Amino acid sequence: MAGPGGDMQWCFSQVKGAIDDDVAEADIISTVEFNHTGELLATGDKGGRVVIFQQEIENKNQPQFRSEYNVYSTFQSHEPEFDYLKSLEIEEKINKIRWLPQKNAAQFLLSTNDKTIKLWKISERDKRPEGYNLKEEDGRYKDPNTITSLRVPVLIPMDLMVEASPRRVFANAHTYHINSISVNSDNETYLSADDLRINLWHLEITDRSFNIVDIKPANMEELTEVITAAEFHPHQCNTFVYSSSKGTIRLCDMRASALCDKHSKLFEEPEDPSNRSFFSEIISSISDVKFSHNGRYMMTRDYLSVKIWDLNMENRPVETYQVHEYLRSKLCSLYENDCIFDKFECCWNGNDSVVMTGSYNNFFRMFDRGHRRDVTLEASRENSKPMQVLKPRKVCAGGKRKKDEISVDSLDFNKKILHTAWHPQDNIIAVATTNNLYIFQDKVN
């Protein structure tokens, strides 16, 4: 990737998680999210756990080791449940985590599984009270007759404890599986989206939410599309977008009406007739939508590409990047092994100049928007020596394979990077392979 001083090189920094080849289902990472400062990095997994890593203060004497992330807190966010009315098991898998902007010493985050959203408070304790009048130090109550003087309890230092406590539980509002949550820029409300509806919540109120989008047809046999992702605009609290399985993105304005079934803008690219195939509709489904930090653009990810849209232009994207075009000839086998339904996410870097998304074979892709350059990198145990520079990878789509190229037929479709995150200020990225979290940073010259 091109940095201000020519090409930027990425180095291995850390890898978290077990090395075993046989992966426990519960350990598979299902979401990755930096907080607003980048000091904390949260992951959620299929076992309903949230693990938070904290960035250690950088060592001024060794600038090359500037950011180690170490475990800060681990807690069980969701448990498996059973819906007796519908005879359905509700998985504990964490679908999304979203941090709230920090207002005081504590941190808050929202985590959701298929049905229930929870607001968690993460706080630190490094002092404890000592010198009670009515209790011994071990907690036993004293005989009041033995108390002859009045003591003032004092706070004494203790080992740091990080506590996670559930402050709110937002339940029973979604009939279908929740795929997105997004905190509004007013920092008071957030939205949650499932396959057919989007709800608006107040962070303080758990027993009611407002339904702001409902695309459920009166007759379910007429269902042609579902909602795949939704997000609030980063600065305009009245604006949000949602994407659909048909490849369209709708922008809605909550000032226009209480129920935003009529969109303000519809972003859709006309289909290229020469690329029409049996799989066209499946691969055009949008798996993720993200506003740029400046709020001018949004990025969408479909199966084969990343598109950047200008909010002022609805008829086509201003940039299109092919993530793994060499898979177009393999769609038939990807359909048979269900990989064609994989939902890849995408993210922006801190100044919106580079976008990143995942691929198969534990590859991930970066696209430099200004220089129109792209690179394929790999997250693997083989390249995991400290500060080892990542070598760009190339895939050979057909014909004669060069020395460093990898043949399409030898790609491992079980190794996939669906979840990635970029530090909001620094060139530090987090990349989730099945059950491992890789952290890479740019090389400090």
Side-chain angles (χ1 to χ4, degrees), residues 232-284:
F232 266 121
H233 190 280
H235 311 304
Q236 299 164 6
C237 61
N238 52 285
T239 309
F240 67 94
V241 293
Y242 67 94
S243 59
S244 89
S245 55
K246 278 192 163 175
T248 60
I249 309 102
R250 291 176 173 85
L251 183 136
C252 302
D253 188 336
M254 294 194 293
R255 296 172 302 187
S257 79
L259 190 63
C260 301
D261 283 354
K262 293 189 175 65
H263 51 265
S264 307
K265 292 186 176 185
L266 176 68
F267 298 85
E268 185 174 20
E269 185 172 30
E271 192 186 11
D272 180 358
S274 64
N275 278 340
R276 179 93 194 128
S277 74
F278 169 74
F279 304 109
S280 293
E281 198 157 298
I282 302 173
I283 63 171
S284 67

Side-chain angles (χ1 to χ4, degrees), residues 356-376:
M356 173 170 65
T357 190
S359 179
Y360 293 103
N361 209 59
N362 283 353
F363 288 170
F364 58 98
R365 303 269 284 137
M366 289 186 184
F367 303 96
D368 186 315
R369 299 176 58 211
H371 296 82
R372 288 290 173 161
R373 278 194 287 204
D374 64 285
V375 68
T376 303

Side-chain angles (χ1 to χ4, degrees), residues 4-271:
D7 277 358
M8 184 158 80
Q9 290 182 308
W10 288 91
C11 300
F12 171 82
S13 175
Q14 290 170 280
V15 59
K16 309 286 186 187
I19 305 174
D20 311 342
D21 282 338
D22 48 335
V23 178
E25 179 82 4
D27 294 337
I28 295 175
I29 297 172
S30 53
T31 183
V32 181
E33 188 80 6
F34 280 103
N35 75 339
H36 294 270
T37 61
E39 186 206 354
L40 299 178
L41 172 61
T43 65
D45 64 24
K46 284 196 171 179
R49 291 176 302 245
V50 171
V51 181
I52 300 173
F53 301 94
Q54 183 182 41
Q55 189 175 19
E56 297 298 313
I57 304 303
E58 54 187 82
N59 185 344
K60 295 285 184 288
N61 306 329
Q62 293 178 298
Q64 71 272 27
F65 300 111
R66 56 196 176 136
S67 59
E68 283 265 303
Y69 279 84
N70 294 319
V71 174
Y72 178 64
S73 175
T74 303
F75 58 94
Q76 188 72 32
S77 171
H78 287 69
E79 303 279 357
E81 294 174 66
F82 194 80
D83 183 337
Y84 293 98
L85 283 174
K86 298 198 176 74
S87 295
L88 280 177
E89 284 182 28
I90 301 168
E91 280 187 301
E92 64 272 40
K93 173 187 161 212
I94 307 293
N95 292 342
K96 283 284 185 290
I97 291 172
R98 288 290 179 265
W99 292 91
L100 273 61
Q102 189 172 3
K103 292 198 175 86
N104 53 25
Q107 296 275 358
F108 289 86
L109 64 81
L110 290 166
S111 63
T112 184
N113 67 350
D114 284 341
K115 297 287 179 185
T116 304
I117 305 150
K118 295 185 182 180
L119 175 68
W120 289 89
K121 177 183 181 181
I122 294 97
S123 51
E124 295 182 357
R125 275 228 315 252
D126 60 356
K127 293 185 176 67
R128 62 184 176 83
E130 196 178 76
Y132 287 103
N133 285 293
L134 300 176
K135 294 196 279 199
E136 302 284 0
E137 296 314 329
D138 60 5
R140 286 177 302 137
Y141 280 95
K142 293 180 183 175
D143 177 0
N145 301 322
T146 62
I147 300 169
T148 56
S149 61
L150 196 61
R151 291 196 294 175
V152 178
V154 291
L155 290 170
I156 60 165
M158 64 171 215
D159 288 342
L160 180 70
M161 263 178 60
V162 180
E163 296 174 318
S165 53
R167 307 301 296 206
R168 304 270 185 280
V169 177
F170 306 90
N172 307 325
H174 284 279
T175 312
Y176 306 98
H177 291 177
I178 298 171
N179 55 47
S180 305
I181 47 177
S182 176
V183 181
N184 195 342
S185 59
D186 66 10
N187 296 335
E188 287 188 354
T189 56
Y190 73 92
L191 65 75
S192 57
D194 66 23
D195 299 331
L196 296 177
R197 298 188 180 103
I198 300 175
N199 291 336
L200 179 70
W201 300 85
H202 193 287
L203 284 161
E204 299 292 328
I205 301 168
T206 57
D207 59 356
R208 63 182 179 275
S209 63
F210 293 102
N211 179 228
I212 50 175
V213 172
D214 187 347
I215 64 165
K216 185 180 180 216
N219 176 6
M220 280 297 267
E221 286 173 8
E222 293 165 11
L223 183 69
T224 57
E225 64 179 335
V226 294
I227 297 168
T228 55
E231 190 178 51
F232 266 121
H233 190 280
H235 311 304
Q236 299 164 6
C237 61
N238 52 285
T239 309
F240 67 94
V241 293
Y242 67 94
S243 59
S244 89
S245 55
K246 278 192 163 175
T248 60
I249 309 102
R250 291 176 173 85
L251 183 136
C252 302
D253 188 336
M254 294 194 293
R255 296 172 302 187
S257 79
L259 190 63
C260 301
D261 283 354
K262 293 189 175 65
H263 51 265
S264 307
K265 292 186 176 185
L266 176 68
F267 298 85
E268 185 174 20
E269 185 172 30
E271 192 186 11

